[in-house]
Short mmCIF file of all heavy atoms in Angstrom, two decimals:
data_model
loop_
_atom_site.label_atom_id
_atom_site.label_comp_id
_atom_site.label_asym_id
_atom_site.label_seq_id
_atom_site.Cartn_x
_atom_site.Cartn_y
_atom_site.Cartn_z
N ALA A 7 -75.32 -58.95 -221.57
CA ALA A 7 -73.95 -59.06 -222.09
C ALA A 7 -73.62 -57.86 -222.97
O ALA A 7 -72.50 -57.34 -222.94
CB ALA A 7 -73.79 -60.36 -222.87
N GLU A 13 -70.38 -50.86 -221.54
CA GLU A 13 -69.73 -50.16 -220.42
C GLU A 13 -68.21 -50.36 -220.47
O GLU A 13 -67.44 -49.44 -220.19
CB GLU A 13 -70.28 -50.69 -219.09
CG GLU A 13 -71.77 -50.53 -218.90
CD GLU A 13 -72.20 -49.10 -218.71
OE1 GLU A 13 -71.34 -48.21 -218.61
OE2 GLU A 13 -73.43 -48.85 -218.67
N ASP A 51 -83.95 -53.44 -240.84
CA ASP A 51 -84.16 -54.42 -241.91
C ASP A 51 -84.34 -53.82 -243.30
O ASP A 51 -84.73 -54.50 -244.25
CB ASP A 51 -85.31 -55.39 -241.59
CG ASP A 51 -86.71 -54.85 -241.90
OD1 ASP A 51 -86.86 -53.71 -242.40
OD2 ASP A 51 -87.68 -55.58 -241.64
N LEU A 56 -75.12 -57.81 -245.72
CA LEU A 56 -73.73 -57.81 -246.16
C LEU A 56 -73.41 -59.12 -246.87
O LEU A 56 -74.03 -60.15 -246.61
CB LEU A 56 -72.81 -57.65 -244.95
CG LEU A 56 -72.92 -56.33 -244.18
CD1 LEU A 56 -71.91 -56.30 -243.05
CD2 LEU A 56 -72.70 -55.15 -245.11
N GLY A 59 -69.28 -63.39 -247.51
CA GLY A 59 -67.83 -63.49 -247.31
C GLY A 59 -67.24 -62.35 -246.49
O GLY A 59 -66.04 -62.34 -246.23
N LEU A 90 -72.77 -53.40 -234.06
CA LEU A 90 -72.58 -52.07 -234.63
C LEU A 90 -72.21 -51.07 -233.55
O LEU A 90 -72.83 -51.04 -232.48
CB LEU A 90 -73.88 -51.61 -235.31
CG LEU A 90 -73.94 -50.14 -235.76
CD1 LEU A 90 -72.97 -49.89 -236.91
CD2 LEU A 90 -75.36 -49.77 -236.16
N LYS A 95 -66.74 -38.14 -235.46
CA LYS A 95 -65.43 -37.67 -235.90
C LYS A 95 -64.61 -37.20 -234.70
O LYS A 95 -65.09 -36.44 -233.85
CB LYS A 95 -65.61 -36.51 -236.89
CG LYS A 95 -64.32 -36.08 -237.55
CD LYS A 95 -64.59 -35.02 -238.61
CE LYS A 95 -63.30 -34.60 -239.32
NZ LYS A 95 -63.54 -33.59 -240.37
N ALA A 103 -59.32 -55.39 -228.74
CA ALA A 103 -59.29 -56.73 -228.14
C ALA A 103 -60.55 -56.98 -227.33
O ALA A 103 -61.16 -58.06 -227.41
CB ALA A 103 -58.05 -56.88 -227.27
N VAL A 155 -103.16 -68.74 -225.67
CA VAL A 155 -103.33 -67.67 -224.69
C VAL A 155 -102.45 -67.92 -223.47
O VAL A 155 -101.75 -67.02 -222.99
CB VAL A 155 -104.81 -67.55 -224.28
CG1 VAL A 155 -104.98 -66.56 -223.13
CG2 VAL A 155 -105.66 -67.12 -225.47
N LEU A 159 -98.80 -66.34 -226.54
CA LEU A 159 -98.55 -66.18 -227.96
C LEU A 159 -99.58 -65.29 -228.62
O LEU A 159 -99.34 -64.75 -229.72
CB LEU A 159 -98.54 -67.56 -228.65
CG LEU A 159 -97.41 -68.49 -228.20
CD1 LEU A 159 -97.57 -69.87 -228.81
CD2 LEU A 159 -96.05 -67.89 -228.57
N GLY A 161 -102.99 -62.42 -227.46
CA GLY A 161 -103.68 -61.77 -226.36
C GLY A 161 -105.07 -62.35 -226.13
O GLY A 161 -105.70 -62.89 -227.05
N ALA A 162 -105.54 -62.25 -224.92
CA ALA A 162 -106.88 -62.72 -224.55
C ALA A 162 -107.85 -61.55 -224.65
O ALA A 162 -107.80 -60.62 -223.84
CB ALA A 162 -106.87 -63.30 -223.14
N VAL A 169 -105.46 -62.99 -240.78
CA VAL A 169 -104.90 -62.43 -242.01
C VAL A 169 -104.14 -63.54 -242.73
O VAL A 169 -103.42 -64.32 -242.10
CB VAL A 169 -103.94 -61.25 -241.70
CG1 VAL A 169 -103.19 -60.83 -242.96
CG2 VAL A 169 -104.70 -60.08 -241.11
N HIS A 189 -94.11 -69.54 -257.86
CA HIS A 189 -93.13 -68.61 -257.35
C HIS A 189 -92.14 -69.40 -256.52
O HIS A 189 -92.49 -69.92 -255.46
CB HIS A 189 -93.81 -67.53 -256.50
CG HIS A 189 -92.90 -66.38 -256.17
ND1 HIS A 189 -91.80 -66.50 -255.36
CD2 HIS A 189 -92.93 -65.08 -256.56
CE1 HIS A 189 -91.19 -65.33 -255.25
NE2 HIS A 189 -91.86 -64.46 -255.96
N VAL A 215 -99.62 -60.68 -231.05
CA VAL A 215 -100.13 -61.28 -232.28
C VAL A 215 -99.36 -62.56 -232.56
O VAL A 215 -98.14 -62.60 -232.42
CB VAL A 215 -99.98 -60.30 -233.46
CG1 VAL A 215 -100.44 -60.95 -234.77
CG2 VAL A 215 -100.77 -59.02 -233.20
N LEU A 226 -101.66 -64.82 -239.77
CA LEU A 226 -101.55 -64.04 -238.54
C LEU A 226 -102.92 -64.01 -237.87
O LEU A 226 -103.94 -63.92 -238.55
CB LEU A 226 -101.11 -62.61 -238.84
CG LEU A 226 -99.71 -62.43 -239.44
CD1 LEU A 226 -99.63 -61.13 -240.22
CD2 LEU A 226 -98.65 -62.46 -238.34
N GLU A 238 -100.93 -52.35 -245.09
CA GLU A 238 -100.33 -51.98 -246.37
C GLU A 238 -98.98 -51.30 -246.17
O GLU A 238 -98.03 -51.55 -246.92
CB GLU A 238 -101.27 -51.05 -247.14
CG GLU A 238 -102.48 -51.76 -247.74
CD GLU A 238 -103.40 -50.80 -248.47
OE1 GLU A 238 -103.32 -49.58 -248.20
OE2 GLU A 238 -104.21 -51.27 -249.30
N ALA A 242 -95.01 -52.64 -247.28
CA ALA A 242 -94.18 -51.82 -248.17
C ALA A 242 -92.70 -52.05 -247.92
O ALA A 242 -91.85 -51.47 -248.61
CB ALA A 242 -94.52 -50.34 -247.99
N GLY A 247 -92.68 -56.86 -252.18
CA GLY A 247 -93.47 -56.21 -253.21
C GLY A 247 -94.51 -57.12 -253.85
O GLY A 247 -95.55 -56.63 -254.32
N THR A 289 -110.10 -56.82 -247.87
CA THR A 289 -110.85 -57.25 -246.69
C THR A 289 -112.06 -58.07 -247.11
O THR A 289 -112.63 -57.89 -248.18
CB THR A 289 -111.33 -56.04 -245.86
OG1 THR A 289 -112.29 -55.30 -246.62
CG2 THR A 289 -110.16 -55.13 -245.50
N ARG A 306 -111.30 -76.41 -260.32
CA ARG A 306 -111.73 -77.54 -261.13
C ARG A 306 -112.63 -77.13 -262.29
O ARG A 306 -113.06 -77.98 -263.07
CB ARG A 306 -112.45 -78.57 -260.25
CG ARG A 306 -111.54 -79.20 -259.20
CD ARG A 306 -112.19 -80.38 -258.52
NE ARG A 306 -113.29 -79.99 -257.66
CZ ARG A 306 -113.14 -79.63 -256.40
NH1 ARG A 306 -111.94 -79.58 -255.86
NH2 ARG A 306 -114.19 -79.29 -255.67
N ASP A 311 -117.93 -75.21 -268.24
CA ASP A 311 -118.83 -74.87 -267.14
C ASP A 311 -119.38 -73.45 -267.27
O ASP A 311 -120.28 -73.07 -266.51
CB ASP A 311 -118.08 -74.99 -265.79
CG ASP A 311 -117.62 -76.40 -265.52
OD1 ASP A 311 -118.47 -77.31 -265.57
OD2 ASP A 311 -116.42 -76.60 -265.26
N PRO A 313 -121.17 -70.07 -269.34
CA PRO A 313 -122.18 -69.84 -270.37
C PRO A 313 -121.53 -69.93 -271.75
O PRO A 313 -120.37 -69.54 -271.94
CB PRO A 313 -122.68 -68.42 -270.07
CG PRO A 313 -122.43 -68.25 -268.61
CD PRO A 313 -121.16 -69.00 -268.33
N THR A 331 -112.70 -55.39 -273.02
CA THR A 331 -113.67 -54.44 -273.57
C THR A 331 -115.07 -54.75 -273.05
O THR A 331 -115.80 -53.86 -272.59
CB THR A 331 -113.66 -54.48 -275.10
OG1 THR A 331 -112.38 -54.07 -275.58
CG2 THR A 331 -114.72 -53.55 -275.68
N LEU A 356 -114.89 -48.59 -280.11
CA LEU A 356 -115.67 -49.40 -279.18
C LEU A 356 -116.83 -50.08 -279.90
O LEU A 356 -117.08 -51.28 -279.70
CB LEU A 356 -116.20 -48.52 -278.04
CG LEU A 356 -117.17 -49.21 -277.08
CD1 LEU A 356 -116.46 -50.35 -276.33
CD2 LEU A 356 -117.76 -48.22 -276.09
#
Side-chain angles (χ1 to χ4, degrees):
E13 300 290 354
D51 82 2
L56 296 182
L90 170 68
K95 188 175 182 179
V155 173
L159 296 174
V169 171
H189 192 293
V215 177
L226 296 156
E238 286 179 341
T289 66
R306 295 191 290 274
D311 297 307
T331 297
L356 173 64

